[in-house]
């Protein structure tokens, strides 16, 4: 019996300006993606690294400024013990 894997391509519906910004950044990171005019951004989430890169890029572009500041302040207050 042959196992079929799910299609790793995900369509992201974004603001048109954000879509092109995210597309260009993912291209820089060598994450497979396609962006046609008036269509959702399609990204290939083929590995855990690609998923993290997609999440990080989308979050950095779409997160409101005040939420980004709050997240950064939380990071600054964290204490790491080894």
């Amino acid at each position: 019996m042959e196992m079929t894997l799910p299609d790793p391509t995900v369509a992201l519906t974004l603001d048109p300006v954000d879509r092109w910004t995210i597309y260009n950044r993912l291209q820089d990171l060598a994450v497979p993606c396609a962006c046609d005019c008036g269509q959702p951004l399609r990204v290939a989430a083929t590995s855990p690294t690609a998923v993290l890169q997609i999440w990080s890029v989308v979050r950095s572009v779409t997160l409101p400024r005040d939420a980004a500041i709050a997240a950064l302040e939380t990071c600054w207050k964290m204490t790491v013990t080894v």
Side-chain angles (χ1 to χ4, degrees):
M1 176 194 266
E2 187 177 321
M3 182 190 322
T4 59
L5 297 175
D7 181 13
T9 304
V10 178
L12 304 175
T13 304
L14 302 160
D15 174 74
V17 174
D18 291 345
R19 181 178 64 226
W20 286 106
T21 303
I22 292 167
Y23 169 76
N24 287 322
R25 182 62 184 133
L26 291 175
Q27 287 285 309
D28 292 343
L29 295 170
V31 174
C33 54
C35 189
D36 297 323
C37 190
Q39 298 295 316
L41 172 63
R42 293 181 316 281
V43 295
T46 55
S47 69
T49 301
V51 171
L52 183 59
Q53 288 174 322
I54 295 164
W55 174 82
S56 178
V57 170
V58 170
R59 185 172 189 262
S60 70
V61 172
T62 60
L63 194 66
R65 186 175 189 276
D66 57 333
I69 290 170
L72 189 56
E73 287 177 351
T74 300
C75 290
W76 278 107
K77 293 176 185 175
M78 291 176 72
T79 304
V80 178
T81 30
V82 181

